[in-house]
Amino acid sequence: MDSQTAVPQQTGHDASMAGRLKPDSLGVLGILFFVLSAQAPLTGIAGAVPIAVAIGNGAGAPAAYLAAGVIILLFSVGFVAMGRHVVDAGAFYTYIGKGLGRPAGSGSAGVALFAYCAVQAAMYGLYGVTVSGLVEHYSGVHVAWWVWTLVTMVIVQALGASGIEMGAKILAVFVLAEFSILIAFALVTLFKGGGHEGLGFTDSFSPSAALQGAPGVALMFAVASMFGFEATAIYGEEAREPRKTVPRATYLSVAVITGFFAFTSWMLISAHGASQATGDAGKALQSGDATSFVFAPIAALFGGWANDVLPILLATSLFAGILAFHNSANRYLFSLGREGLLPHALTAINRRHSPWVAGTVQTVLSVLLVMPFAVLGKDPVLTLFSWFSGVAVLGVMLLYFLTSASIVVFFRRSHADTRPWNTLFAPVLGAVGIAGAIWLIIANFTTLIGGDRTTAIWLQLTVPAVLVLGVVAARLTRSRTQPAD
């Protein structure tokens, strides 16, 4: 039987697995690789750090990553506490529904699905341009960016349908490759004592350095680098001992991501020199190739071969992120189908217990989001990548805030966990930090998307619009399914 055909008339163990994802498939490291893949580490460093340094708080940008890490850590305390009582592939929307009610949960599901599909589409745009440039550089043959994007969609669909274990193995290779070269650069720079101005610890982490320039802009990009954090709970249904695995993976993810971005950005600034980093980052942005701020010092340290390897790793970094978000989005579709909010057909799984119908729908959504930019001849980096990245970040930050509020309400009502730090103080502090981050994102949204104010306003409005549509859809579904009096 074809691997993408739902298995009929299941019996015994198979019957007990109907409508369920495959349990005991992922350990702590497997989940960690999915989270880190969603971060697309090299993409985050090469894309966000130059902007945070140039128009944010300059050499103090690493402190912004530490601040973002503290905010996410506070959020994760309540997130983990909730995860011990709720294990579901819907994660955020399930959590929000438990505390704030089913309509709010359904509205947030729409936002989550929209955000994941949007960021994946954004990455497809940058990925297509990157691969097109690499192929032309090495072969002299020019193929449009959208052709490579469509080819990759087919590959991602096949990998998604092949099972979660295969996806984890593919991502592990790509993530280790990009992490290795960046960490190697950072460690060598550290042991050498930094660049020509030294390590410059106080230039990056002192209060005065952290607050110089526009720290809000730097914090905004630092928070955006944490995108994909929810994956720890999304894969809870497929984890081994989820009540232990998910908390460990969550805290480990926060620690690794925060440490990685803070340390690597610090060493990049040290390599340039704290007094010159802002100017160098600005020149890189003006040249149209922001990655040169990151790639140049790495090549200077390791040799010219790095200039050939890094663009390839950038492409694999994007591919890993695309695959990670494909798996996250199709599990949302699967969960919504199981809840009755979307057609039940989305719950079909193949012999590898992969939600192949949901994956196919997610791929179709990607085509619908990406191809209009190709047809209209829009720049895939300045429009598709920039616009959808901004929308996705805003949507996910809204989910963080609603989840924090829901956690407090849920535990106040249920008394399932009476620890005040885990269920009240940490979630409230996290919510305050997240609310501040949302305000910064909205205030600087034009900068985030690299567009004009009118475009920024319309893009921002899509997030509450999707939330309202989800709430309305939930109420209509509930009214249809409730028996008549």
Side-chain angles (χ1 to χ4, degrees):
M1 182 179 293
D2 184 78
S3 64
Q4 292 193 1
T5 302
V7 182
Q9 297 180 342
Q10 293 166 308
T11 60
H13 175 71
D14 287 337
S16 68
M17 293 294 298
R20 291 185 58 199
L21 299 172
K22 186 178 181 180
D24 302 322
S25 300
L26 295 172
V28 172
L29 291 180
I31 297 175
L32 177 64
F33 280 123
F34 273 105
V35 174
L36 296 181
S37 300
Q39 309 302 318
L42 182 57
T43 305
I45 289 292
V49 170
I51 303 174
V53 173
I55 63 178
N57 58 347
Y65 285 99
L66 284 183
V70 170
I71 293 172
I72 298 302
L73 180 61
L74 288 169
F75 166 80
S76 68
V77 172
F79 186 68
V80 165
M82 191 75 161
R84 295 183 186 278
H85 300 275
V86 181
V87 178
D88 189 273
F92 277 156
Y93 99 81
T94 307
Y95 292 8
I96 293 169
K98 291 289 184 181
L100 303 183
R102 186 172 182 266
S106 300
S108 66
V111 173
L113 185 59
F114 178 55
Y116 284 130
C117 288
V119 74
Q120 190 201 39
M123 297 176 90
Y124 268 128
L126 181 56
Y127 171 85
V129 170
T130 302
V131 173
S132 179
L134 285 171
V135 172
E136 186 169 7
H137 174 73
Y138 287 107
S139 70
V141 178
H142 174 74
V143 180
W145 67 271
W146 56 267
V147 174
W148 297 113
T149 295
L150 289 177
V151 170
T152 303
M153 287 179 181
V154 175
I155 296 172
V156 168
Q157 170 65 26
L159 286 174
S162 68
I164 198 68
E165 299 99 328
M166 178 61 71
K169 292 174 182 177
I170 296 294
L171 294 180
V173 173
F174 290 155
V175 169
L176 285 174
E178 57 185 302
F179 253 81
S180 296
I181 192 167
L182 289 171
I183 290 297
F185 160 77
L187 288 174
V188 171
T189 303
L190 176 68
F191 292 136
K192 286 181 59 181
H196 59 282
E197 295 181 12
L199 290 174
F201 180 83
T202 57
D203 292 320
S204 290
F205 293 104
S206 67
S208 59
L211 296 174
Q212 68 183 336
V217 174
L219 180 62
M220 175 184 68
F221 281 99
V223 170
S225 298
M226 301 289 179
F227 197 104
F229 171 80
E230 181 191 358
T232 56
I234 285 178
Y235 298 107
E237 191 172 324
E238 297 161 275
R240 293 188 288 271
E241 298 184 89
R243 284 173 174 78
K244 293 180 180 180
T245 301
V246 172
R248 291 171 184 171
T250 299
Y251 288 129
L252 183 59
S253 297
V254 174
V256 170
I257 293 166
T258 302
F260 169 78
F261 278 103
F263 178 49
T264 306
S265 61
W266 173 33
M267 288 300 99
L268 281 169
I269 289 168
S270 176
H272 284 276
S275 66
Q276 300 177 24
T278 303
D280 289 348
K283 292 176 183 177
L285 293 181
Q286 291 174 1
S287 72
D289 181 17
T291 62
S292 62
F293 178 78
V294 176
F295 292 177
I298 296 177
L301 184 64
F302 293 140
W305 63 266
N307 282 323
D308 295 323
V309 172
L310 286 168
I312 296 173
L313 288 179
L314 178 60
T316 60
S317 173
L318 288 163
F319 180 85
I322 287 167
L323 179 57
F325 284 116
H326 171 79
N327 284 319
S328 295
N330 68 31
R331 277 151 181 77
Y332 258 93
L333 288 166
F334 171 88
S335 188
L336 290 171
R338 190 164 58 184
E339 291 288 326
L341 294 170
L342 288 177
H344 185 71
L346 291 170
T347 63
I349 56 177
N350 59 20
R351 289 189 178 276
R352 293 182 179 272
H353 294 283
S354 175
W356 71 273
V357 173
T360 302
V361 171
Q362 199 283 317
T363 300
V364 171
L365 290 174
S366 298
V367 174
L368 294 176
L369 287 173
V370 170
M371 289 313 294
F373 289 85
V375 172
L376 296 174
K378 297 292 185 180
D379 187 297
V381 176
L382 298 180
T383 57
L384 176 57
F385 178 73
S386 298
W387 293 2
F388 281 0
S389 294
V391 167
V393 169
L394 181 58
V396 168
M397 292 309 297
L398 175 61
L399 292 175
Y400 285 1
F401 181 79
L402 291 175
T403 301
S404 294
S406 179
I407 289 167
V408 173
V409 173
F410 173 78
F411 286 113
R412 298 284 74 74
R413 287 176 178 171
S414 68
H415 303 290
D417 189 334
T418 57
R419 295 173 296 173
W421 171 252
N422 299 70
T423 62
L424 178 61
F425 296 122
V428 168
L429 290 172
V432 171
I434 291 164
I438 291 174
W439 180 83
L440 289 172
I441 290 170
I442 293 174
N444 297 281
F445 200 75
T446 302
T447 300
L448 182 61
I449 67 166
D452 58 83
R453 183 165 180 78
T454 301
T455 301
I457 292 173
W458 279 108
L459 289 173
Q460 289 177 76
L461 290 175
T462 60
V463 175
V466 170
L467 180 66
V468 171
L469 285 173
V471 171
V472 171
R475 293 191 180 280
L476 291 175
T477 302
R478 184 177 182 183
S479 65
R480 287 198 305 267
T481 56
Q482 282 181 331
D485 294 333

